[in-house]
Amino acid sequence: MSLNIEKGNRKRIVIVGGGFGGLRLANKLKGTDYQVILIDKNNYHQFPPLIYQVASAGMEASSISFPFRKNFQHQKNFYYRMAELRAIFPEKKLIQTSIGKVEYDYLVLAAGTTSNFFGNRNVEHEAMPMKTVDEAMGLQNAILSNIERAITCATKLEQQELLNVVIVGGGATGVEIAGVLSEMKRTILPHDYHDLDPSLMNIYLIEAGNRLLSAMSPESSAAVEKYLRQMGVNILLNKMVTDYQDHKVMLADGSSISTRTFIWVSGVAGQPVGNLNPEHLGRGRRIRVDTFNRVIGLDDVFCIGDQCLVEGDPEYPNGHPQLAQPAIQQGSNLANNFRRMLKGKELKPFCYKNLGAMATVGRNKAVAEFARIKMKGFWAWLMWLIVHLRSILGVRNKVVVLLNWVWNYFNYNQSLRMIFYPKKAAEIIEREEREARTHWGEDLINNEKPKEEKNIGA
């Protein structure tokens, strides 16, 4: 396989990852004299802040996703390829992907993060993460099918395991999924499952630290904890999960919670990059970069977004928050620097402007912090809606999400609670198996020069 893109005389920028940072960078390079290639394993951009609503069957996956090719329809000298990064060879200015090799003049790593299980292989195998739309849809199926099974199971023990939900991680994602499942328990179960006692459904939120939302102020943490407890969520602070065995979440203090819905949203780690020397990695497997987002020790290789760790910023010695805004701002700054390179101008360092943080736990319940302003309750919730609605790609998606929210505000009785198990075609399965068997280093070890790709058009 090959990318089939002729390099030509233009400088080539290869962007790996179409998240907030990669997408902003690619958009900002429109009209420049660069050839831009965007590589992502999905053919769409996804909106992570609303993934939890897909997991709870409150929103269609298509409403928070937008195809890359649609976004870049009229952008010249831009190419998209659906592929995965296998390895990087900076000394050759070359990367290996699942569909072939590609040379670059500048490489930008913007692949984001993956769930961090802190080396616990058993938890990694058993728990359900919620980082992507795919994972959210899988979690949605698991929650709904477990409720269906609870109605027909033979024993009370099995029924309780099926109805108990354990969420590990007290960050924004954890409190949001706990809140929306609590509302589901209160509003959906009595109507859809009238022969099931809703009180049997227990939602547990476990946090290893001493408060929820540790990245926000103690006041916001206390407000969110109060909201969730009022909604019936069982909050366990200063509790560490050590294992999952026999449908039980095991805690460090020796206690356990029976469940077959084990959700893991406790921490993230940078996406791994094959053949990247460990000396380039910092805390949380994030790639160490300077204030220009250039990977320290590598020429013409940059990294932005959650995957990078900017060194040299005294206000953020442990790296910038792994949120949308740092990624977007880094993408914009790097695009401007690429434009400056063309003109031979001096690069400008990245300076993060903190626009605040927010989290919601249900209707009329949210917290928001902007500089010195702290909000909670209805106005924070309304601000949360406005900010997230503005950030979604596509007019249709904005309208659909807005209508969903309006409908949900007055009536929770949506008809989105279907269980789908998509079946892959044999051709797709075989192709994925072939790509998985690709030995990314063999021909490079033999110093084989990559073949020039052919031009098949934008």
Side-chain angles (χ1 to χ4, degrees):
M1 288 179 288
S2 173
L3 269 72
N4 291 329
I5 304 172
E6 184 179 355
K7 188 174 185 303
N9 297 321
R10 297 175 184 269
K11 291 281 189 179
R12 174 185 283 180
I13 299 176
V14 177
I15 305 170
V16 180
F20 287 118
L23 191 69
R24 174 57 65 95
L25 172 61
N27 281 326
K28 286 287 187 177
L29 290 173
K30 183 178 181 180
T32 64
D33 200 32
Y34 288 109
Q35 180 190 84
V36 180
I37 300 175
L38 175 63
I39 295 174
D40 196 290
K41 65 179 181 180
N42 300 309
N43 73 338
Y44 56 87
H45 168 80
Q46 52 193 348
F47 191 70
L50 295 183
I51 279 179
Y52 79 95
Q53 294 197 11
V54 175
S56 60
M59 190 173 295
E60 305 97 326
S62 60
S63 299
I64 64 166
S65 308
F66 198 80
F68 290 124
R69 293 190 181 276
K70 173 71 173 177
N71 186 76
F72 296 103
Q73 274 182 348
H74 306 294
Q75 188 162 330
K76 295 181 179 179
N77 305 315
F78 172 86
Y79 301 84
Y80 162 74
R81 292 295 182 265
M82 189 170 72
E84 293 185 65
L85 177 65
R86 291 283 191 255
I88 174 177
F89 299 89
E91 70 281 0
K92 297 178 182 290
K93 301 193 76 169
L94 178 75
I95 61 171
Q96 174 70 42
T97 74
S98 56
I99 61 174
K101 293 180 281 290
V102 59
E103 293 178 320
Y104 62 83
D105 291 294
Y106 303 105
L107 173 65
V108 181
L109 301 172
T113 59
T114 185
S115 297
N116 189 354
F117 296 94
F118 305 99
N120 194 320
R121 296 295 183 184
N122 195 42
V123 169
E124 182 176 358
H125 181 263
E126 299 290 345
M128 291 178 277
M130 199 180 64
K131 279 286 296 173
T132 66
V133 170
D134 288 343
E135 291 172 348
M137 294 180 70
L139 179 55
Q140 173 187 312
N141 284 339
I143 292 171
L144 294 176
S145 62
N146 281 353
I147 295 175
E148 294 288 351
R149 178 69 181 272
I151 298 174
T152 60
C153 63
T155 67
K156 289 294 182 181
L157 174 61
E158 182 184 4
Q159 184 182 55
Q160 197 61 67
E161 290 175 352
L162 290 164
L163 292 175
N164 283 349
V165 177
V166 175
I167 305 161
V168 182
T173 303
V175 301
E176 287 170 350
I177 188 64
V180 77
L181 289 178
S182 175
E183 289 189 332
M184 180 181 179
K185 168 187 173 180
R186 180 176 60 86
T187 61
I188 300 301
L189 260 63
H191 294 95
D192 282 17
Y193 306 92
H194 54 84
D195 50 347
L196 182 67
D197 183 0
S199 66
L200 295 175
M201 184 177 185
N202 298 305
I203 301 168
Y204 298 87
L205 179 58
I206 303 175
E207 166 57 38
N210 60 5
R211 66 184 179 96
L212 304 176
L213 297 179
S214 60
M216 299 182 72
S217 68
E219 293 84 359
S220 295
S221 298
V224 164
E225 181 177 347
K226 179 181 177 181
Y227 290 148
L228 289 175
R229 290 192 186 279
Q230 288 175 345
M231 296 167 71
V233 177
N234 301 291
I235 299 175
L236 305 179
L237 300 176
N238 298 305
K239 299 289 185 180
M240 184 174 294
V241 173
T242 59
D243 206 351
Y244 181 78
Q245 299 177 359
D246 301 323
H247 306 302
K248 292 180 180 179
V249 174
M250 315 299 292
L251 304 179
D253 61 6
S255 61
S256 64
I257 305 172
S258 298
T259 184
R260 299 197 185 191
T261 307
F262 178 29
I263 304 173
W264 186 272
V265 288
S266 180
V268 294
Q271 284 282 4
V273 178
N275 201 45
L276 184 65
N277 195 311
E279 70 180 14
H280 298 298
L281 302 179
R283 182 181 181 183
R285 208 167 61 210
R286 298 168 77 175
I287 299 173
R288 298 166 53 237
V289 301
D290 60 20
T291 53
F292 304 104
N293 283 100
R294 185 168 41 209
V295 178
I296 296 174
L298 296 182
D299 294 330
D300 304 323
V301 181
F302 299 81
C303 185
I304 60 176
D306 294 353
Q307 197 175 16
C308 81
L309 178 66
V310 180
E311 298 186 343
D313 190 335
E315 292 189 30
Y316 298 93
N318 295 322
H320 296 102
Q322 290 171 294
L323 303 171
Q325 270 305 315
I328 292 171
Q329 293 178 31
Q330 287 172 357
S332 295
N333 186 72
L334 184 55
N336 291 334
N337 278 339
F338 278 134
R339 289 175 178 268
R340 298 176 72 84
M341 287 181 193
L342 287 175
K343 300 176 181 179
K345 294 184 177 181
E346 185 178 351
L347 304 186
K348 289 189 175 181
F350 171 69
C351 182
Y352 174 51
K353 182 179 180 181
N354 190 346
L355 299 182
M358 53 183 63
T360 180
V361 296
R363 185 170 60 172
N364 300 335
K365 298 180 181 70
V367 292
E369 298 179 357
F370 307 100
R372 297 181 180 180
I373 301 175
K374 294 183 176 65
M375 307 168 63
K376 63 180 180 179
F378 173 78
W379 294 111
W381 175 77
L382 186 61
M383 184 64 67
W384 183 92
L385 294 180
I386 294 171
V387 169
H388 286 77
L389 189 64
R390 287 187 59 192
S391 303
I392 295 172
L393 291 182
V395 175
R396 174 197 171 276
N397 284 7
K398 292 179 189 292
V399 172
V400 170
V401 169
L402 178 60
L403 290 176
N404 263 329
W405 284 345
V406 171
W407 181 266
N408 284 342
Y409 190 82
F410 296 103
N411 183 3
Y412 283 94
N413 197 21
Q414 287 197 79
S415 57
L416 300 179
R417 295 178 295 278
M418 284 81 72
I419 302 172
F420 295 111
Y421 294 108
K423 179 176 174 58
K424 291 184 178 180
E427 167 63 24
I428 302 299
I429 296 174
E430 293 171 3
R431 182 188 308 152
E432 290 177 345
E433 291 176 347
R434 288 196 302 270
E435 291 176 359
R437 291 195 298 266
T438 300
H439 190 185
W440 50 259
E442 184 175 353
D443 52 358
L444 292 172
I445 292 173
N446 296 328
N447 294 319
E448 178 183 330
K449 181 176 175 57
K451 297 179 181 178
E452 185 67 26
E453 293 98 355
K454 297 179 181 178
N455 185 6
I456 61 171

